Amino acid sequence: PRAPSMSSAAELAYTLEGAADDLRDDGRSRLDFRVVSIELGVFPQTSGSARVTLGATDVLIGVVAELSTPDAAAPDTGRILVSVSGGPVELSLPDYGCADRLGWLEAALSALYSPRSIASALRPLCIVNGTQCWQLRVDAQ
């Protein structure tokens, strides 16, 4: 799935009207915020992990660092692989005209962390140009 660049005209109008009326679709005003909590090291078998809670939204993230071979198209960089899965509760992601919302989110994050987007940040993950690199596997649920 490809990440769209804009919301529909109806979604934009709905958002602008809500901002003008000082009301979000979840009942909070524009200045109301949700409490954020972050717990680190929740999965001991990973290189790093966290649980992020924002209001009623709970996200678990695990990162595993592995040795790999760089992509031929970016031999001087490491790589970040992103996978997103949902739990038993449906995620409240925008529709964006895409039936597979988790697939859309995973595609958007993968594009964001690709060598085309952040090559300079991925270069320190290269160990031997064209031969060996660090690959960070990021799993979010």
Side-chain angles (χ1 to χ4, degrees):
R2 190 166 170 246
S5 59
M6 302 228 34
S7 300
S8 70
E11 288 173 312
L12 182 58
Y14 177 78
T15 302
L16 292 174
E17 287 173 20
D21 293 339
D22 193 28
L23 185 64
R24 298 184 200 191
D25 61 350
D26 64 1
R28 291 179 293 132
S29 75
R30 289 185 321 226
L31 299 179
D32 288 340
F33 63 92
R34 293 178 276 182
V35 175
V36 176
S37 69
I38 300 173
E39 179 184 354
L40 300 175
V42 294
F43 301 120
Q45 67 274 24
T46 63
S47 302
S49 60
R51 170 183 233 138
V52 179
T53 305
L54 176 64
T57 303
D58 196 28
V59 179
L60 295 169
I61 302 163
V63 178
V64 175
E66 309 166 314
L67 289 174
S68 185
T69 303
D71 290 328
D76 63 338
T77 67
R79 67 169 77 100
I80 299 175
L81 305 176
V82 179
S83 67
V84 179
S85 60
V89 178
E90 181 177 328
L91 297 176
S92 57
L93 295 171
D95 184 353
Y96 293 125
C98 180
D100 181 11
R101 294 177 183 182
L102 289 176
W104 174 88
L105 180 59
E106 188 171 299
L109 289 171
S110 294
L112 180 66
Y113 291 108
S114 72
R116 257 190 346 197
S117 297
I118 60 166
S120 62
L122 295 175
R123 281 193 188 98
L125 296 176
C126 182
I127 300 168
V128 178
N129 195 335
T131 304
Q132 192 173 46
C133 69
W134 285 108
Q135 170 177 288
L136 303 180
R137 203 165 23 91
V138 181
D139 298 304
Q141 180 174 351

